[in-house]
Amino acid sequence: MNVPSPGAVSAQDTQVLGLFLRDVAKMNQDQRNFRVFGPDETVSNLLGAVFEVTNRQWDAREVSNDEFLAPAGRVLTRCSARINAKVGWKAIC
């Protein structure tokens, strides 16, 4: 982001971080060596841009207003961030 002078640009740091994480996730789609770990509130924390290129890894109960869920997503929330030695990451909610 170009900042021509102090106070000339208004931006939110986590929103800029979300764009950065989106780009990193996109660049690592083939290698699959990057994941985002965070709370369930990824969108409300202004990191939702990451969902432009990946989903939440999810293999558990779903409710009607769930969004961005997939068995092989690269975003892990506190419900899904548990390792299972036999199959890798699994949602446990």
Side-chain angles (χ1 to χ4, degrees):
M1 176 179 294
N2 182 24
V3 181
S5 64
V9 175
S10 177
Q12 296 173 310
D13 54 354
T14 54
Q15 193 169 34
V16 173
L17 175 62
L19 297 172
F20 174 76
L21 294 174
R22 175 202 62 199
D23 294 346
V24 172
K26 185 175 182 177
M27 289 187 293
N28 283 277
Q29 284 179 331
D30 292 337
Q31 298 89 344
R32 300 188 55 79
N33 62 5
F34 179 78
R35 291 183 184 259
V36 175
F37 290 83
D40 297 341
E41 300 84 11
T42 304
V43 174
S44 63
N45 287 336
L46 303 178
L47 302 174
V50 74
F51 294 125
E52 294 173 17
V53 296
T54 190
N55 290 304
R56 290 182 180 95
Q57 181 165 329
W58 198 258
D59 185 17
R61 179 177 48 92
E62 296 180 25
V63 295
S64 61
N65 63 342
D66 282 339
E67 295 180 297
F68 313 114
L69 304 181
R74 306 305 292 167
V75 177
L76 298 171
T77 65
R78 68 174 163 244
C79 285
S80 60
R82 179 173 181 201
I83 196 163
N84 177 315
K86 290 185 179 179
V87 294
W89 295 96
K90 284 294 266 189
I92 57 163
C93 297

